[in-house]
């Protein structure tokens, strides 16, 4: 017969054995940091693998600021920036994550076509690090998207004074110069940026390459050469077919040519292939605009 004392002794022995084998992970550890493995995943760029566990952790403890930050980061890096906004805004409440979360929030909201929110997030980051060139470049892009071109140029000039060769400055610098009609300067900056890229041992990240591709196409538009721009935009789509910025800028280009059905078809195809919420949102927005336009036409002709 197994007595209560024997059971107690066995339990104590088991606990002692676990204590001796913690380093080998042979026993459950109630004090184990649940985020340790997730941090390791992120260091290896394995963001999507961490999403399910991070969602469970934030559901269990919505006030866990690190879990919110890591979830927001994983969503941005996995191509779901619109879903990252809430956890990043939560994480930005913490002094520990305020700068990094604000930077990611600026990226997420810039991609979701809310430039005012992106500007506010970049403002928050710059309040912490006023001379951060990457934050200045992000805010310049957001201001450019909000059609605040003079303000965008002020950020570009400030950033150039801090670090004239910083690669993140290339795209906002070129785009604002094009918008201001300073075509020769934009061409010179773009040419210098291309030469700098070829001198590097490693090519810039895919996001930067995609932006550079778009800048070249935008330059062709500004030059009054839509045929070349169309070829360049097609090349960008071939190279980065699911990049949100690439797809939406090509959609805008097609719209500017009056090819609205072609733009909608591109969005539809990309959404079907990626199931990304930002493409679905844009499709719904276009459908709503079209329906409103058709109702207005019927009213104008007395059909309603």
């Amino acid at each position: 017969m197994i007595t209560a004392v024997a059971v107690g002794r066995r339990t104590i022995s088991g606990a002692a054995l676990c204590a001796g084998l913690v380093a080998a992970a042979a026993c459950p550890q109630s004090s184990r940091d649940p985020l340790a493995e997730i941090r390791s995943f992120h260091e290896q760029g394995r963001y999507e693998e961490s999403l399910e566990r991070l969602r469970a952790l934030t559901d269990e403890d919505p006030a866990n600021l690190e879990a919110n930050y890591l979830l927001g980061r994983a969503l941005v890096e996995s191509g779901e920036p619109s879903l990252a906004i809430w956890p990043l805004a939560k994480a930005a409440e913490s002094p520990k994550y305020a700068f990094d979360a604000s930077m990611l929030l600026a990226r997420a909201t810039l991609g979701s076509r809310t430039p005012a929110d992106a500007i506010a997030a970049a403002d928050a980051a710059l309040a912490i690090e006023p001379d951060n060139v990457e934050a200045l470049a992000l805010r310049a892009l957001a201001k450019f998207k909000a059609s605040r071109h003079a303000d965008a140029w002020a950020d570009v000039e400030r950033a150039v004074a801090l670090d004239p060769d910083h690669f993140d400055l290339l795209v906002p610098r070129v785009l604002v110069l094009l918008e201001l009609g300073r075509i020769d300067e934009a061409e010179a900056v773009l040419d210098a940026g291309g030469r700098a890229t070829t001198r590097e041992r490693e090519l810039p990240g895919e996001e930067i390459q995609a932006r550079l591709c778009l800048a070249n196409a935008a330059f062709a538009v500004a030059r009054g050469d839509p045929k070349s721009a169309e070829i360049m935009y097609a090349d960008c789509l071939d190279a980065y077919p699911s990049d949100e910025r690439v797809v939406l800028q090509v959609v805008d280009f097609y719209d500017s040519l009056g090819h609205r059905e072609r733009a909608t078809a591109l969005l539809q195809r990309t959404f079907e292939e990626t199931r990304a919420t930002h493409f679905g949102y844009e499709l719904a927005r276009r459908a709503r605009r079209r329906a409103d336009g058709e109702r207005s036409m019927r009213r104008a002709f007395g059909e309603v």
Side-chain angles (χ1 to χ4, degrees), residues 51-129:
L51 286 174
E52 185 176 348
R53 292 169 62 183
L54 282 167
R55 286 189 175 108
L57 284 169
T58 53
D59 286 345
E60 181 182 337
D61 181 8
N64 187 323
L65 296 177
E66 183 178 9
N68 276 287
Y69 168 70
L70 292 173
L71 175 59
R73 181 184 179 191
L75 287 165
V76 169
E77 298 295 346
S78 300
E80 294 288 355
S82 59
L83 299 180
I85 293 171
W86 191 92
L88 288 173
K90 183 69 177 174
E93 297 173 4
S94 163
K96 182 176 181 180
Y97 303 109
F99 177 79
D100 290 337
S102 295
M103 289 290 286
L104 284 170
L105 191 56
R107 285 176 55 193
T109 49
L110 182 67
S112 62
R113 292 193 163 192
T114 50
D117 291 340
I119 292 168
D123 283 343
L126 286 163
I128 300 167
E129 294 189 18

Side-chain angles (χ1 to χ4, degrees), residues 5-19:
V5 173
V7 170
R9 285 174 181 165
R10 184 172 298 176
T11 302
I12 293 169
S13 298
L17 177 61
C18 280

Side-chain angles (χ1 to χ4, degrees), residues 153-233:
W153 183 245
D155 278 344
V156 168
E157 285 190 308
R158 181 177 162 197
V160 167
L162 292 166
D163 185 359
D165 298 322
H166 198 293
F167 198 83
D168 283 353
L169 288 173
L170 178 62
V171 172
R173 194 176 179 186
V174 168
L175 290 177
V176 178
L177 283 169
L178 291 173
E179 187 63 34
L180 297 176
R182 296 158 64 173
I183 308 299
D184 291 342
E185 291 176 69
E187 187 173 22
V189 170
L190 196 56
D191 184 55
R195 289 199 305 272
T197 301
T198 58
R199 286 198 301 269
E200 296 294 329
R201 288 186 181 180
E202 295 182 5
L203 289 172
E206 184 171 294
E207 181 180 0
I208 298 298
Q209 292 186 63
R211 289 184 181 184
L212 183 56
C213 185
L214 291 174
N216 276 285
F219 178 73
V221 173
R223 245 187 4 240
D225 188 0
K227 289 185 178 179
S228 294
E230 187 168 1
I231 293 169
M232 291 178 184
Y233 277 128

